[in-house]
Amino acid sequence: MSEDLIIGIAGSGGDGVISAGESLLTAAALEGYHCVMTKSFGSQIRGGEASCRLRLATQPVLNPNGPLDVAVALNWDDFKKFGAELPVESATIVIYESNTGVAPDKLPLQGVKPAVVFSVPITAMAAEHAGTDKAKNIVIAGLLAGWFGIGRESMLAGIRKKFAKKGTTIVEGNVRAFQAGLDFTVANPLKEDRKLSAPQSGGQTKLLTDGNDMCAAAAIFAGCTFFGGYPITPSTEIMQFLDREIWKYGGTVLQAEDEIAGVGAVVGASFAGKKSMTATSGPGMSLKTEILGLASLAELPLVCVNVMRGGPSTGMPTKAEQSDLFQAAFSAHGDCLRPVLAPTSVADIFGVTVEAFNLAEYYQTPVIVLSDQEIAQRKETVDPIDTSKFQIIERRRPTGQELVNYTRFKITESGISPISHPGMVGGNYLCAGIEHNEQGRPTASGEMHARMNEKRFNKFNPLKNRRDLFTIEGDPEAPIGMVSWGSVAGVAQEALRLAQAEGLQVKLLVPRLLYPVAETVYQDFFASVQRGLFIEQSYQAQLYRLVRMYVDFPAVVKPFAKSGSNPILPSEVLDRLREMVVAIQSSQQQPEAVEN
Amino acid sequence: MSQTLSEKPIVPAVVTETATGERKGLTKKEIAADHPTWCPGCGDFSVLALYFKLIEKRKLWHEKITTISGIGCSSRFPYFVQAHGAHFIHGRALPFASGVSLSRPDLHVFAFSGDGDAFSIGGNHFTHTARKNIKMTLVVMDNQVYGLTKKQTSPTSPLGFKSKTDIWGAVDYPINPAKQAISVGASFVARTSATNPNHVLAMMEAAMDHDGFSFVHCLSECVEFYDGAFDAANPRKGGVFNEVPKTHDVTDEFAAYKLASADFPGNFGVLYKVNKPTKNAREAEINASFQSKFTGQKDWQILQKTFDRMK
Ligand SMILES: Cc1ncc(C[n+]2csc(CCOP(=O)(O)OP(=O)(O)O)c2C)c(N)n1
Ligand code: SF4
Ligand SMILES: [Mg+2]
């Protein structure tokens, strides 16, 4: 029996790889399993190579990574293009298309000889039973359902729903193709039973969705009624979701001529009193920089989502990377501070996006949400959202009294001044990028500039004490501390569980608030730490370096970072943790020179 | 324009009512903010004065209008007007104005821009805001030079114009703003000159009354860096100010294009005007049709249905 199964499927774009994965995912979710599915493509628009990874488990799934339990190859050339994204080990069960002409003992995999290999005439079975080789995906679904115990009824329900519009002949053809897959597994059973154990929560009440849709839904929940943006992978689905939904709430989506216009309109709508948002990825973020700076100076609320992909420049548009943190924190001319938040999963992005709107409104500032390609496009089972858990904050508007001699940028104790909008009689002021005095009139006075900078920076002080924007897991006094963020945090969480199961004393800090750096949170965390590790997906280890700018943590805290698209595996992290235990033990035996 | 702007506080607008309870229009004192910092004799003064006149004449209240600009001498405009307004970013007045217009159909949006701001750095926005027919009025004060940065070639500078970036005379062909506006789908295109106040007011008023993207191309001389640029259109300087012929059909796109193409000084007046649905109106329809399916439901109930579809 299995508690946790990782399945990787790869082929060429037309092979139905993704739809095979999706059929399985929907059925598994319906049965009550916890599931995550990621997709990965070559950079071609159509054709090209396509793959998906599914992780199905009886316990909540923390990340999709890890070596494959099951590998399905429709052709080996495409499969191999995914390299480390689809790692095959000797324990991996390999299923492949027989018409590739490869012998089961001569698989083109370097250095591994999987023990269990099935060569299956997938295309021929599809053609025979469904009358078309398009049904390959359904044959694969049948094979996987049979060997790994996904319920026949849930699968059939999914197939009927999926093909209903195409008529009964097509539905029945696909049902036969599915059955052919199942029959194959009965005739060729696995020696060792690898079927998934029964799920702990029967019956599906979970949502099955991805990070982009969840982010957009959160924006609507938070009260966003204006979106401006320009399509860019992997963020486009946010705009598309809102374009299907926002009209119901009296809102608007503007597909602008470029990212500059997108955020320009968002600033205009915010000035006009609306909660507004834009979403983009690296190249678009670069274009938005100038206008985001104005929004900081003019103290206008807005949310800017950056769904990170590999960079610099066009980089790797279809792959995840966490390399835009420096840009999010620092890409502005002048002294400028704006909050940067990062969600860790599809479930998490809902709360993080709502928080982003709340911070934007409360502090009258742009807020950047750093999502990434993996969170954005992976499908995940999510518990139904309990919206009553979330508070919605609105910007501080002037009272009638405050509209007499209205002072837009009044220097208050909190640094937050009431903000009006067109239509408020007496509330008129000039919103501008030129430095202003309290009334909003232009100034070139050094003294006024210094006071306004102080106001714009100090207003964020309370934010650095928001400990609820951080989670700490594990023994708080542990001598080994990990820090990880974004989609990689799930890998660290899994490594933490594995380490704890071995009796290692480890703890993990996951920030949702990346910037401003909450100095005391890190200081407190590192107080007990003798060895530490920042786990993240960027060449430079950007969070590690950002935190070091503000916090003096011991030199024995190191980064463990990889460039995007090179998955970080929980087992690799576990190896590092074991090494740290040994290092601590040996340093206790003989005091070592301070590392630097 | 070396002076910095003063730090005079805004006097709050107060709603004043007449004895009959009807609200009085604003007086010039209530509309004017800082004294403009333009060079004496700058054409932009006249445009500002006529904007005030328009506000007075049409009883536009502060809370019903916004005044938006980019960056440039001409774009300092909103600083001198007491209204909700924005002095935004070089070239980006139109995106900001679009955000205001689309999210607040109750407001009339006026955007003021310069030739560099509107046609060079903001050229793409000019094209797309026009083609989308987003409701607003754009007045471009064209001095055929970069004023604020002190005399560089602009996209409307004529061939041979000697600037600090073209010391031998400009070699790039200028664009013709009115032609461009017609070709990209602006639904109202007019040409005027700051030296003819009545005409400027008439054009701004017609533009404001147009339901759609209305563009007023206003020649406005930079006395500092391009003195005499528009003398040929100024009868007081020996030029001619020819209005658009009475026989011109403003809905005839090709006729308008031809008229706009005439050599300088050409004709002044409304060159083109057609009625077609605005983006604002179409979106209001989309809103209404979506919302009619959910009458009586609270936002969270509508959102719940969306979540249910994710199951
Ligand atoms: C991104 C950016 N680039 C350059 C500038 C400098 N700049 C300010 S105004 C201007 C040109 C203004 O020319 P125009 O729009 O014709 O206005 P005018 O001053 O002539 O009224 C330039 C180049 C700027 N403010 N921002
Ligand atoms: S446009 Fe020319 S005349 Fe007008 S303020 Fe600028 S520099 Fe002076
Ligand atoms: Mg100019």
Side-chain angles (χ1 to χ4, degrees), chain A residues 475-481 505-507 528-532 584 588:
Chain A
D475 174 4
E477 295 307 316
I480 297 178
Q505 274 186 302
V506 182
K507 61 180 176 176
S528 71
V529 166
Q530 297 174 36
R531 287 290 184 285
I584 292 174
Q588 277 163 352

Side-chain angles (χ1 to χ4, degrees), chain A residues 9-84:
Chain A
I9 315 174
S12 77
D15 282 337
V17 164
I18 306 294
S19 89
E22 279 173 350
S23 308
L24 217 61
L25 179 75
T26 317
L30 202 64
E31 303 226 314
Y33 291 105
H34 297 269
C35 317
V36 168
M37 174 173 148
T38 59
K39 306 170 209 176
S40 182
F41 304 94
S43 47
Q44 298 90 333
I45 313 279
R46 284 201 185 279
E49 66 276 15
S51 77
C52 65
R53 295 174 61 103
L54 280 117
R55 189 163 185 180
L56 314 175
T58 51
Q59 298 285 334
V61 181
L62 298 169
N63 69 82
N65 295 1
L68 301 182
D69 296 303
V70 186
V72 182
L74 283 145
N75 74 69
W76 287 107
D77 284 345
D78 284 327
F79 188 92
K80 284 190 315 187
K81 283 186 191 145
F82 290 98

Side-chain angles (χ1 to χ4, degrees), chain A residues 425-476:
Chain A
V425 177
N428 49 293
Y429 74 99
L430 196 79
C431 154
I434 288 187
E435 185 60 286
H436 45 243
N437 63 13
E438 288 184 77
Q439 279 74 32
R441 304 310 293 170
T443 180
S445 140
E447 192 205 328
M448 185 51 72
H449 178 48
R451 286 180 68 194
M452 283 296 158
N453 265 338
E454 193 176 37
K455 168 189 196 292
R456 289 190 292 262
F457 272 75
N458 284 349
K459 70 178 175 182
F460 291 115
N461 284 343
L463 180 57
K464 293 192 229 163
N465 296 324
R466 283 282 307 275
R467 287 186 186 247
D468 60 314
L469 298 175
F470 296 78
T471 46
I472 296 177
E473 292 177 62
D475 174 4

